[in-house]
Amino acid sequence: MSNDDKTYQKLLSIRDSTDLTLKPCSRLKSTFIGFDGKEYPLQLRYYQVQGILHLLAMQRFLLGDDTGTGKCCKKSTLVKSSRGLRPIQDFYPEETKPDTFYSLSGESVWVGGQFLPVSGFYDGGKKPTLKIKTHNGYELEGTLVHPILVRREEGEKWVKLSEIQEGDYVCIDRGEYNFGEPLSLPKIEASPSETGHQLPQRMTPDLSRFLAYVVAEGSIFEGTIHISQSHEINPEI
């Protein structure tokens, strides 16, 4: 068996193993310094242990990593999806385990001016976070390495949350008002005494406004709807 064949068999053995460990050595650190200046224990994931053993077995090796490298937001962070603004946790509401990937289909989110499909959900576990707030009240909380687009004197650039400075201008997309996919309304059978009423088949801006008036200042009594408004305060009514 040639050396290449032996190396290949060793790599297969590493890939199929489930109980590999790394021996302590001077080149492998046991702690690291976080962006907050504090020291944390360095805990490698199992696939990272396999990757290191792959590197040790070969003279040249290209190691690729998946997503989930710590760039996470709080689970209540709103995300623009094809079904409206939703918190991240709604994409996978079941119980999840930290540092674990889950396959996901049938969902899409707004990225770069278009809706793109979501392929997976990642639970990053508990990590140190930072919360930033703009003067208009917009908030974002995420891990220290989560990137955010800001505008400074030298132009727009992506920076980590830990690098945000007071006075930075955070870039916010104000032009997109997405409230989900068009909503079809259930068919309602009118009573024989009701004639001449054209009931809507889909949600429309006018119907949405009317329902908002009913919820805010309206009442329903004996089949009639009453809306109380002041023409002086709201002249458009």
Side-chain angles (χ1 to χ4, degrees), residues 73-81 83-96 103-109 118 120-122:
C73 290
K74 189 177 179 181
K75 62 182 181 181
S76 59
T77 302
L78 295 177
V79 175
K80 181 179 178 181
S81 75
R83 292 193 284 165
L85 291 175
R86 300 160 57 199
I88 291 179
Q89 62 185 358
D90 280 4
F91 285 83
Y92 204 93
E94 301 176 8
E95 291 293 329
T96 58
S103 297
L104 192 64
S105 61
E107 298 282 2
S108 59
V109 295
V118 178
F121 183 93
Y122 173 71

Side-chain angles (χ1 to χ4, degrees), residues 1-230:
M1 182 180 293
S2 66
N3 290 334
D4 289 342
D5 291 335
K6 292 180 180 179
T7 301
Y8 179 70
Q9 292 300 322
K10 186 174 183 178
L11 294 177
L12 289 180
S13 176
I14 293 174
R15 184 171 299 179
D16 294 336
S17 299
T18 58
D19 57 353
L20 298 173
T21 58
L22 293 174
K23 296 180 180 180
C25 66
S26 59
R27 295 185 178 181
L28 183 61
K29 296 182 178 180
S30 58
T31 61
F32 70 95
I33 304 299
F35 290 101
D36 56 359
K38 298 180 181 179
E39 187 175 20
Y40 296 94
L42 177 61
Q43 298 178 341
L44 296 177
R45 303 172 186 173
Y46 187 73
Y47 75 88
Q48 292 173 326
V49 173
Q50 290 177 306
I52 292 176
L53 293 175
H54 275 73
L55 291 171
L56 294 175
M58 302 184 67
Q59 294 182 350
R60 298 182 181 87
F61 189 79
L62 179 62
L63 182 63
D65 199 0
D66 205 337
T67 56
T69 53
K71 301 181 288 294
C72 294
C73 290
K74 189 177 179 181
K75 62 182 181 181
S76 59
T77 302
L78 295 177
V79 175
K80 181 179 178 181
S81 75
S82 58
R83 292 193 284 165
L85 291 175
R86 300 160 57 199
I88 291 179
Q89 62 185 358
D90 280 4
F91 285 83
Y92 204 93
E94 301 176 8
E95 291 293 329
T96 58
K97 296 181 180 180
D99 195 21
T100 306
F101 290 93
Y102 299 87
S103 297
L104 192 64
S105 61
E107 298 282 2
S108 59
V109 295
W110 188 259
V111 180
Q114 60 181 327
F115 284 108
L116 297 178
V118 178
S119 60
F121 183 93
Y122 173 71
D123 183 346
K126 294 183 178 180
K127 291 182 172 62
T129 62
L130 283 176
K131 178 189 287 187
I132 62 173
K133 184 176 182 179
T134 70
H135 72 284
N136 281 332
Y138 294 99
E139 294 182 352
L140 175 66
E141 182 174 353
T143 54
L144 306 181
V145 295
H146 185 80
I148 185 170
L149 186 62
V150 301
R151 175 175 292 176
R152 294 174 176 171
E153 291 184 359
E154 63 271 22
E156 295 180 359
K157 61 183 299 186
W158 290 94
V159 301
K160 301 171 184 176
L161 275 181
S162 60
E163 299 172 344
I164 289 287
Q165 304 171 8
E166 186 174 354
D168 281 339
Y169 289 89
V170 178
C171 298
I172 300 176
D173 187 355
R174 299 177 181 272
E176 297 297 334
Y177 297 93
N178 176 60
F179 298 97
E181 299 171 344
L183 177 63
S184 297
L185 301 177
K187 185 177 181 180
I188 301 177
E189 297 293 341
S191 64
S193 61
E194 296 176 341
T195 59
H197 297 289
Q198 184 67 34
L199 299 179
Q201 298 180 347
R202 302 182 71 83
M203 182 62 69
T204 64
D206 288 340
L207 179 57
S208 299
R209 178 182 289 271
F210 172 73
L211 293 177
Y213 289 151
V214 174
V215 172
E217 302 291 346
S219 62
I220 302 176
F221 179 72
E222 294 184 350
T224 61
I225 298 176
H226 302 268
I227 300 176
S228 300
Q229 274 289 348
S230 170

